[in-house]
Amino acid sequence: RRAVLGLGLASLLPMRAGATPADLAFVVIREGREVGTHTVRFREEAGLLRAVSEVRITVRLAGFVVFRYAHDTEEAWRADRLVALDSRLDRNGRAVASLARAEGGRLRLRGPGGEALLPAAAAPLTWWRAASLVPGVPLFDPREGRPVEPQLERRAEGGGQRVTLIGGEGAVILYDAAGTWVGFETTGEDGSRVIYRRA
């Protein structure tokens, strides 16, 4: 997992102009049991690509809800630039919100921890957009509205790409040969294994 392999990034480049991605739907599996869903829906609107993500996770133990997670994110992209993002997260009844707005040659980020000005090329860690996970793209966590600098490792796998994020809870994100998001794996807050399966 930690071995760094050099590779071409052709499949991580942006999609051709005018191409609207197909909607995505995943089942979230924790320790072998289905616990939720993650969907991303796309639409073109006034020259913008809008991506609306919805995550719903509920973990039960002996019939009782022990963990509930809901995260809604809406992104607006003009070509390769993020121009707006709104995020609302509810974790076990504790709600937080963050937003990002393009301002001139910068991106203004506001979250629970405060405000930051990022380069115009900054992108959120929302997984669906493979072109964000390449060298030189400043990243931020939309859940908390804060810049992050994860270590990224990439390698070719099954005709597509495997991107590993090292740091924090870590994650493995899989893309097919066309750069479409097809898989995800991470570690839950309690140390459990969480994987995504295409619905």
Side-chain angles (χ1 to χ4, degrees):
R1 173 173 169 152
R2 305 214 180 254
V4 180
L5 301 177
L7 59 105
L9 297 174
S11 70
L12 293 184
L13 295 177
M15 287 173 290
R16 68 186 186 279
T20 302
D23 292 347
L24 301 168
F26 295 90
V27 174
V28 181
I29 301 170
R30 173 187 176 272
E31 299 295 342
R33 295 190 176 189
E34 294 185 10
V35 295
T37 59
H38 187 152
T39 61
V40 188
R41 294 181 173 86
F42 302 96
R43 71 180 187 275
E44 295 281 349
E45 183 179 283
L48 297 175
L49 172 65
R50 295 191 179 274
V52 179
S53 302
E54 180 182 282
V55 183
R56 296 289 184 271
I57 297 173
T58 302
V59 178
R60 292 180 171 85
L61 184 62
F64 295 94
V65 174
V66 295
F67 180 76
R68 193 182 303 274
Y69 182 97
H71 187 203
D72 297 298
T73 309
E74 181 166 356
E75 303 164 58
W77 290 81
R78 179 172 286 112
D80 294 328
R81 184 178 183 188
L82 179 72
V83 297
L85 176 143
D86 290 277
S87 169
R88 179 175 172 81
L89 170 66
D90 187 315
R91 181 190 281 112
N92 291 327
R94 180 178 177 271
V96 295
S98 63
L99 63 84
R101 296 289 185 271
E103 292 186 3
R106 308 282 278 178
L107 183 73
R108 186 174 297 277
L109 181 63
R110 295 190 183 100
E115 187 172 301
L117 271 177
L118 306 180
L125 285 171
T126 46
W127 315 129
W128 67 267
R129 189 173 183 273
S132 297
L133 302 181
V134 296
V137 176
L139 298 170
F140 66 91
D141 187 338
R143 298 171 301 180
E144 302 172 3
R146 64 180 179 85
V148 292
E149 296 182 359
Q151 180 182 344
L152 302 177
E153 296 179 352
R154 304 165 189 81
R155 73 180 189 206
E157 182 171 295
Q161 300 289 339
R162 175 187 182 100
V163 180
T164 301
L165 275 76
I166 299 173
E169 60 263 36
V172 173
I173 311 99
L174 302 176
Y175 301 95
D176 67 13
T180 301
W181 181 30
V182 295
F184 182 78
E185 180 176 339
T186 189
T187 302
E189 296 176 0
D190 61 352
S192 59
R193 181 174 182 240
V194 177
I195 63 173
Y196 280 26
R197 185 183 70 224
R198 290 289 293 269

